[in-house]
Amino acid sequence: MKRCVALLIVALLPVVATAAPSATTQREISGLMQALEQSGCRFQRNGSWHDAAQARSHLQRKYDYLLKRNLADTTEQFIDRAASRSSISGKPYRVSCPGAAEQDASAWFQQQLRQLRAAGN
């Protein structure tokens, strides 16, 4: 009996390890990416400014990397691990939007997430 349980656990490990984020998390992250791309904001990483489409593309690559390693189970983890700072230099990303003060990307994404959740998305 113990052997059967152990085999079952071993057989299920790959399923557990490759579990995708919930549908809600996926929808929220998609909403954040869409909000960024449609924002008209500029995105700074490692001292260089990029337009919103370039920023979205970069963050999508980082998100895909995290998904492969099961490191983005929540929207907050996505913001913290992909959208807040450079994984190479550790420098915070910055966002500059028309008519608004420049701010850390983490704060910008947290605000966008609050708005998505308030809207029920």
Side-chain angles (χ1 to χ4, degrees):
M1 179 67 171
K2 287 182 184 180
R3 186 169 187 216
C4 289
V5 171
L7 288 174
L8 180 61
I9 290 171
V10 170
L12 291 176
L13 280 176
V15 173
V16 172
T18 59
S22 71
T24 299
T25 296
Q26 291 177 39
R27 191 171 45 254
E28 287 177 347
I29 293 170
S30 177
L32 290 176
M33 296 287 212
Q34 185 174 19
L36 173 63
E37 189 164 16
Q38 295 174 352
S39 69
C41 300
R42 294 183 317 140
F43 190 85
Q44 184 189 64
R45 59 185 172 91
N46 295 321
S48 297
W49 287 98
H50 304 273
D51 67 28
Q54 292 169 324
R56 180 184 179 151
S57 177
H58 173 73
L59 293 181
Q60 185 65 55
R61 286 190 304 274
K62 287 184 75 173
Y63 180 49
D64 292 344
Y65 175 88
L66 293 173
L67 284 174
K68 288 179 186 174
R69 286 149 184 83
N70 199 29
L71 295 172
D73 293 335
T74 67
T75 308
E76 289 80 5
Q77 286 177 339
F78 162 75
I79 292 170
D80 184 55
R81 295 175 179 170
S84 294
R85 74 191 60 77
S86 169
S87 53
I88 295 172
S89 70
K91 291 181 181 179
Y93 293 147
R94 303 283 292 167
V95 176
S96 177
C97 300
E102 185 180 307
Q103 62 181 312
D104 283 342
S106 177
W108 188 88
F109 279 107
Q110 289 292 344
Q111 177 61 34
Q112 296 301 311
L113 179 58
R114 283 191 293 276
Q115 291 175 1
L116 279 173
R117 287 178 173 168
N121 293 328

